[in-house]
């Protein structure tokens, strides 16, 4: 490996580690479950949520990740949730894919759109802030519930801002578990609740991707003068299969991802 490449690898490891530290600070279940595997966990992907505004959209995020050897490798549309998404893969195969989704603001009410335009107009974001910058605005619980009525995704973003939404265990890389059913059973036996929207396992072997996830942790958050407990983030598990050419599928299945998004529902 050349010196330049080694430097990029070191800096991406540092960045991924910062993302993990940030994520487990509001998703304690993820750290607990990662330890239950009893071995070093390899991540299949890390997912982020954002808005389709100039200063923070998925392509702005992708530009930053390009410096680390990532390139856009797939794009997706979620009709019902009104989201666009892309996924990026790294030239270094063992590094996690990155899944970036954005809310299509013009498909929502003026009130919702203006709320985010106003919040973001007061924020100075550097490229890295789009991944671990969090939220810099004060929260209002009435506004939160109003946003949630239109879009759970919007209300989540309002509370948590820019941060990893989930990390995903690559079951393919585990040595003690090979089956998503066994992973799910272990997770449940340890007292965690799986997202059962559309069944515990999303996707099939034929679709080349099986996924499951726990329901998001619930965290006490300050809204002005009151505290309320709201969903934070969740941990996901993925098992990938080879296509007819023998190549392991690296993309995402929108019907499955659509249900996984609901892991942050109340
Ligand atoms: Ni995911």
């Amino acid at each position: 490996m050349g010196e330049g490449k080694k430097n990029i690898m070191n800096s991406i490891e540092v960045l991924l580690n910062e993302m993990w530290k940030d994520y487990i600070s509001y998703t304690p279940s993820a750290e607990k479950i990662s330890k239950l595997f009893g071995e070093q966990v390899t991540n299949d992907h890390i997912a982020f949520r954002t808005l389709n505004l100039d200063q923070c959209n998925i392509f702005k995020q992708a530009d930053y990740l390009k410096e680390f050897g990532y390139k856009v490798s797939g794009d997706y549309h979620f009709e019902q949730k009104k989201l666009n998404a892309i996924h990026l893969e790294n030239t270094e195969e063992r590094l996690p894919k990155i899944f970036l989704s954005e809310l299509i603001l013009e498909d929502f009410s003026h009130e919702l759109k203006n709320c985010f335009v106003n919040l973001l107009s007061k924020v100075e974001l550097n490229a890295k802030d789009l991944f671990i910058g969090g939220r810099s605005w004060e929260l209002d619980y009435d506004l939160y519930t109003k946003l949630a009525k239109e879009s759970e995704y919007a209300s989540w973003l309002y509370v948590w801002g820019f941060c990893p939404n989930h990390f995903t265990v690559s079951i393919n890389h585990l040595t003690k578990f090979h089956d998503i059913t066994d992973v799910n059973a272990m997770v449940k036996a340890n007292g965690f609740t799986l997202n059962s929207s559309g069944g515990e396992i999303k996707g099939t072997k034929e679709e080349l991707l099986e996924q499951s996830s726990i329901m998001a942790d619930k965290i006490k958050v300050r809204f002005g003068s009151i505290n309320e407990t709201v969903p934070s983030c969740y941990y996901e598990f993925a098992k990938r299969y080879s296509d007819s050419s023998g190549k392991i599928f690296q993309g995402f299945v929108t019907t499955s991802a659509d249900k996984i998004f609901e892991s942050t529902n109340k």
Side-chain angles (χ1 to χ4, degrees):
M1 203 181 279
E3 209 45 50
K5 181 143 190 219
K6 238 186 259 173
N7 287 339
I8 291 176
M9 287 301 290
N10 286 342
S11 49
I12 183 73
E13 294 290 353
V14 170
L15 178 67
L16 295 175
N17 202 35
E18 276 182 80
M19 289 172 175
W20 173 254
K21 286 274 182 295
D22 186 36
Y23 166 70
I24 59 173
S25 71
Y26 47 77
T27 322
S29 293
E31 188 180 29
K32 286 179 198 150
I33 295 169
S34 72
K35 286 178 177 160
L36 292 173
F37 288 105
E39 60 182 299
Q40 183 63 45
V41 167
T42 297
N43 291 303
D44 179 86
H45 65 273
I46 310 169
F48 295 85
R49 295 177 174 185
T50 190
L51 307 157
N52 69 336
L53 294 172
D54 287 345
Q55 68 257 55
C56 61
N57 64 44
I58 52 179
F59 295 102
K60 185 112 190 186
Q61 289 181 314
D63 277 343
Y64 178 66
L65 295 174
K66 280 172 193 165
E67 296 171 30
F68 298 97
Y70 276 98
K71 63 165 190 271
V72 178
S73 308
D75 60 273
Y76 313 89
H77 178 66
F78 298 88
E79 187 72 42
Q80 240 191 344
K81 294 194 168 60
K82 299 166 183 167
L83 305 170
N84 283 323
I86 51 177
H87 95 261
L88 293 89
E89 291 173 27
N90 201 286
T91 44
E92 196 64 40
E93 236 175 83
R94 68 178 179 82
L95 289 174
K97 288 171 277 296
I98 307 282
F99 188 86
L100 304 173
S101 64
E102 65 183 14
L103 200 64
I104 305 166
L105 286 176
E106 53 274 24
D107 288 356
F108 290 91
S109 69
H110 287 296
E111 203 178 2
L112 183 147
K113 184 178 176 179
N114 290 341
C115 161
F116 284 110
V117 169
N118 286 335
L119 289 175
L120 270 294
S121 69
K122 294 168 194 139
V123 179
E124 212 40 78
L125 293 164
N126 68 39
K128 197 169 150 186
D129 290 337
L130 298 177
F131 299 91
I132 48 172
R135 155 182 58 81
S136 48
W137 48 84
E138 293 293 316
L139 294 175
D140 177 89
Y141 195 69
D142 287 340
L143 181 53
Y144 170 74
T145 50
K146 216 179 271 176
L147 292 172
K149 275 186 198 136
E150 270 197 76
S151 161
E152 184 281 324
Y153 185 108
S155 66
W156 183 92
L157 207 51
Y158 173 64
V159 171
W160 299 102
F162 304 100
C163 60
N165 176 268
H166 61 270
F167 275 65
T168 306
V169 175
S170 168
I171 298 172
N172 299 63
H173 287 83
L174 294 173
T175 60
K176 293 170 188 156
F177 294 88
H178 303 289
D179 216 82
I180 194 161
T181 315
D182 296 338
V183 170
N184 289 348
M186 183 278 278
V187 169
K188 284 191 286 183
N190 281 282
F192 298 95
T193 307
L194 291 177
N195 168 355
S196 57
S197 169
E200 283 179 357
I201 302 172
K202 281 78 173 161
T204 60
K205 189 176 175 180
E206 289 66 40
E207 288 173 298
L208 310 178
L209 175 61
E210 293 172 328
Q211 291 166 276
S212 64
S213 64
I214 58 164
M215 288 305 287
D217 278 334
K218 305 276 197 293
I219 301 286
K220 202 187 272 181
V221 174
R222 186 143 201 90
F223 291 85
S225 58
I226 58 165
N227 285 320
E228 290 287 345
T229 301
V230 298
S232 60
C233 295
Y234 58 91
Y235 205 27
E236 187 179 309
F237 316 98
K239 166 103 187 240
R240 294 181 178 277
Y241 294 90
S242 308
D243 60 21
S244 52
S245 71
K247 199 178 169 296
I248 293 182
F249 176 63
Q250 296 298 331
F252 291 84
V253 179
T254 47
T255 48
S256 300
D258 196 64
K259 296 292 177 213
I260 292 270
F261 274 119
E262 292 168 16
S263 306
T264 50
N265 282 9
K266 270 202 172 175

